[in-house]
Amino acid sequence: MAREFTSVGVVGLGTMGAGIVEVFARNGIDVVAVEISAAAVERGRATLTGSTDRAVAKGKLAEADRDALLARVDWQVGLDALHSVDLVIEAVPEHLDLKQRIFAELDRVCKPEAILATNTSSLSVTEISVATTRPNQVIGIHFFNPAPVMKLVEVVRTVVTSADVVADVEALCERLGKVDVTISDRAGFIANALLFGYLNHAVSMFESRYATREDIDAAMKLGCGLPMGPLALMDLIGLDTAYEILDTMYRRGGRDRRHAPVPLIKQMVTAGLLGRKSGRGFYTYERPGSPVVVPDEHTPVTTGAALADGARAIAKVGIVGSGTMATGIIEVFAKAGYEVISVTRGAEKSAKVCEAVKTSLNKGVVRGKLSEEDRDAALGRVTWSATLDHLADVDLVVEAVVEELSVKKALFASLDEICKPGVVLATTTSSLPVIDVAMATQRPADVIGLHFFNPAPIMPLVEIVQTIRTSAETSATARAVCAALGKTGVVCGDRSGFIVNALLFPYLNDAVKMLEASYSTADDIDYAMKLGCGYPMGPFELLDVVGLDVSLAIQRELYLELREPGFAPAPLLEHLVTAGYLGRKSGRGFRDHTKR
């Protein structure tokens, strides 16, 4: 039988601590809420009152339930008030010496059987526990912000934490309506260990001016379905907090350079640019604490006229290729009103592509997203061809053939001979260097990458990849075309992975390394990222969907270009691919899909 927790203490009543107080009080548990001063107690009380009042206003909490919730909280100054509680959770700032002092005092104040818990997100629970005479009763209970909303709790056991204590805390999490994942005491636990390497990499991308803050954030939201872009998330977390977490993970986690805080983060913290809480971080906010972003000197002009400034007129588009990607891109351009010439390697392939486009457009009609007239008009704009010579008078060519550099270079050399001067030549490559393709022509200034995401008619993102030879006019044309297609175009340099893959696949690789080290299970890692970070899919779900062979190939390209040891493909990923476990398409990857 798990022990019954009738009263708990919470030490530290900032945003996190006040949220934890609310979680317990909402679930009928009496809470002693403790701070260092009366003023700090009042700030915590105001935070809780504001949160519960908002819940009432939104119809998520009855007034009577709110009043009962608030009545369960005993607000106190000083740790002595915790003498009779069954469990204490500490939620003070992430400084080891501070936490150790608090735990030493809790050890003195609390009754012998009380469990002492820390909400740390990055510090060693073991190092905190040794400040007490009862390290077997010390555990990590890591809630995620906002605690009343987020379902995940990481339960962190040390090598000496009692099994009974772990079981009691797991049962408590279930009573609170939370999903717990129980793990060992390792830097960053699950969610932060995977999240902060990705965030740090995004800051590095911004620091090097590889892409703008808006384009980096838009790419990850629209390309991966994430709830927030990485730089906006850094502002929400607080750059000072993020710096402390990264620095701790770097020192505790084997000094992996990917966790060494990017210098820009320290500079911004020193300058007081802490994110939302200070009113300015990567973005500028209406006021300190406000989520409302306001324009500043770095905000781009996004009006149609500005996007079209310097752009060439595009009326006729050639699309080369017969695969899924080419088919989707044909549909996108035809629906947007462009005259399209589809070129494949033979009449049979053209017929298949034509049929695929018709099928997709008909689905749009059935679903009420397209009228029959618009479908017929779109089809009427497409000319089907099996010869590149028909591209002699187009204004834009989009290549969507197989991902082999030799094939693409040969195609672009042919286009260079056939197409008129001034035509924009675009490749949809997702991994190859665009400059290699461009230099197969005599007009590299006219070559650009247009990386559509699959399925092209649905996915709103296009990565616009500029080489060091791409002209400003070509870039302006690409931006204007994306806008005309109703897509969000994000501009970046010609580097392996561009924005999305360069940020996504190292994170997936880190998850495989975590599994490989037997730190946690695939299910718990997926739970942690979905419930703790709001990701639409866990890393192993996503790897099985993408294909482990595809993922390995992309990770190898990133490693070869960047030569960062932390980007080396996880051996487990290589072994699974060698064994033919490629994910859903082969029936087995990280999970067995044949039994579903």
Side-chain angles (χ1 to χ4, degrees):
M1 285 287 292
R3 81 170 77 182
E4 183 69 20
F5 293 95
T6 58
S7 65
V8 302
V10 177
V11 180
L13 304 177
T15 304
M16 200 70 232
I20 294 170
V21 169
E22 181 176 341
V23 169
F24 282 107
R26 269 179 180 260
N27 286 277
I29 298 173
D30 291 336
V31 183
V32 180
V34 172
E35 257 292 2
I36 196 169
S37 66
V41 166
E42 286 310 308
R43 286 194 294 272
R45 191 199 302 266
T47 300
L48 178 61
T49 302
S51 176
T52 53
D53 285 350
R54 285 191 296 273
V56 170
K58 293 175 181 175
K60 295 181 177 180
L61 188 67
E63 287 190 28
D65 290 337
R66 174 199 59 195
D67 296 342
L69 184 162
L70 295 174
R72 292 188 193 104
V73 184
D74 179 16
W75 304 92
Q76 294 288 340
V77 175
L79 298 178
D80 286 339
L82 301 170
H83 58 87
S84 62
V85 299
D86 304 312
L87 165 73
V88 178
I89 298 185
E90 160 275 311
V92 304
E94 290 283 89
H95 301 297
L96 180 61
D97 57 344
L98 172 62
K99 291 181 188 282
Q100 287 178 327
R101 287 199 304 273
I102 287 173
F103 270 73
E105 188 65 12
L106 290 173
D107 188 35
R108 182 188 66 79
V109 167
C110 295
K111 60 189 182 184
E113 65 272 22
I115 294 173
L116 308 182
T118 173
N119 183 60
T120 183
S121 60
S122 61
L123 297 174
S124 167
V125 179
T126 305
E127 290 184 43
I128 294 169
S129 74
V130 296
T132 75
T133 60
R134 54 177 109 177
N136 61 314
Q137 287 169 235
V138 176
I139 195 166
I141 305 179
H142 179 216
F143 288 84
F144 287 73
N145 192 30
V149 175
M150 300 299 281
K151 298 287 286 183
L152 182 73
V153 174
E154 289 176 322
V155 176
V156 186
R157 59 172 179 247
T158 73
V159 290
V160 296
T161 304
S162 162
D164 288 343
V165 168
V166 174
D168 290 341
V169 168
E170 289 173 337
L172 176 62
C173 290
E174 186 175 352
R175 176 181 170 185
L176 297 174
K178 301 295 186 183
V179 175
D180 69 276
V181 294
T182 300
I183 47 181
S184 300
D185 184 20
R186 184 177 118 168
F189 313 137
I190 296 177
N192 281 355
L194 296 180
L195 177 66
F196 275 86
Y198 151 72
L199 295 178
N200 203 37
H201 190 186
V203 176
S204 165
M205 211 175 253
F206 174 71
E207 182 185 49
S208 66
R209 300 187 181 180
Y210 178 67
T212 66
R213 61 188 182 184
E214 287 84 1
D215 282 357
I216 292 169
D217 280 355
M220 298 314 290
K221 286 168 65 181
L222 300 178
C224 298
L226 303 187
M228 294 183 79
L231 301 180
L233 181 55
M234 286 284 283
D235 276 359
L236 175 63
I237 292 168
L239 272 69
D240 51 345
T241 302
Y243 179 84
E244 290 293 339
I245 292 172
L246 281 165
D247 189 52
T248 301
M249 287 173 57
Y250 175 71
R251 287 185 285 103
R252 285 189 62 210
R255 299 189 178 272
D256 183 340
R257 277 170 43 197
R258 293 188 52 235
H259 291 142
V262 171
L264 179 62
I265 302 175
K266 183 64 177 294
Q267 293 162 18
M268 292 176 72
V269 171
T270 304
L273 306 177
L274 307 182
R276 283 191 192 181
K277 59 187 171 188
S278 69
R280 184 154 186 180
F282 289 102
Y283 296 90
T284 300
Y285 298 87
E286 199 171 46
R287 61 182 180 279
S290 170
V292 180
V293 175
V294 296
D296 59 21
E297 66 272 22
H298 302 298
T299 303
V301 179
T302 55
T303 62
L307 285 173
D309 188 28
R312 301 171 193 167
I314 303 292
K316 186 183 288 189
V317 179
I319 297 167
V320 184
S322 57
T324 304
M325 208 69 233
T327 302
I329 294 169
I330 291 166
E331 179 181 338
V332 167
F333 276 95
K335 285 198 296 191
Y338 289 96
E339 187 179 341
V340 177
I341 298 177
S342 164
V343 178
T344 66
R345 290 182 302 169
E348 187 178 337
K349 285 188 179 293
S350 282
K352 284 184 178 179
V353 173
C354 178
E355 196 56 39
V357 172
K358 285 179 180 176
T359 300
S360 181
L361 290 170
N362 284 332
K363 284 180 182 176
V365 173
V366 170
R367 292 170 182 165
K369 296 182 178 180
L370 194 69
S371 69
E372 291 187 12
E373 293 78 10
D374 287 341
R375 174 200 62 195
D376 295 343
L379 284 170
R381 294 185 192 105
V382 184
T383 301
W384 309 98
S385 170
T387 174
L388 291 174
D389 290 337
H390 289 155
L391 301 177
D393 65 341
V394 300
D395 307 307
L396 164 68
V397 178
V398 180
E399 163 275 310
V401 301
V402 66
E403 279 285 273
E404 289 183 17
L405 186 58
S406 60
V407 175
K408 291 183 188 287
K409 287 173 73 171
L411 172 60
F412 271 72
S414 298
L415 293 173
D416 190 31
E417 293 180 3
I418 292 166
C419 295
K420 66 186 181 184
V423 65
V424 172
L425 303 177
T427 172
T428 62
T429 183
S430 61
S431 59
L432 299 173
V434 178
I435 190 64
D436 282 1
V437 177
M439 295 309 291
T441 75
Q442 299 300 310
R443 47 175 116 181
D446 295 330
V447 178
I448 198 162
L450 285 180
H451 177 217
F452 288 80
F453 286 71
N454 193 31
I458 295 171
M459 295 295 282
L461 183 71
V462 178
E463 288 177 318
I464 300 170
V465 186
Q466 303 175 140
T467 76
I468 56 174
R469 296 289 296 269
T470 303
S471 70
E473 188 181 22
T474 299
S475 294
T477 305
R479 290 196 301 272
V481 166
C482 289
L485 295 175
K487 303 290 187 185
T488 298
V490 297
V491 180
C492 62
D494 182 22
R495 206 166 76 184
S496 185
F498 311 140
I499 298 175
V500 173
N501 285 353
L503 291 178
L504 174 65
F505 281 90
Y507 147 75
L508 296 176
N509 196 50
D510 285 346
V512 179
K513 290 178 180 177
M514 188 177 278
L515 179 67
E516 189 174 50
S518 300
Y519 178 64
S520 190
T521 65
D523 286 345
D524 278 357
I525 294 170
D526 278 355
Y527 281 137
M529 299 315 293
K530 289 195 293 185
L531 300 178
C533 300
Y535 282 21
M537 298 179 80
F540 297 105
E541 290 178 275
L542 184 54
L543 281 160
D544 276 1
V545 168
V546 170
L548 275 62
D549 52 341
V550 174
S551 303
L552 177 60
I554 292 171
Q555 192 61 36
R556 280 175 173 162
E557 287 294 327
L558 289 170
Y559 179 54
L560 283 171
E561 178 160 314
L562 300 174
R563 305 300 171 105
E564 171 59 60
F567 284 175
L572 176 60
L573 183 60
E574 295 184 314
H575 295 167
L576 288 169
V577 171
T578 302
Y581 293 171
L582 308 182
R584 285 190 185 177
K585 60 188 174 187
S586 70
R588 183 164 179 181
F590 285 98
R591 294 185 174 89
D592 187 346
H593 299 279
T594 61
K595 298 176 181 178
R596 302 184 179 203

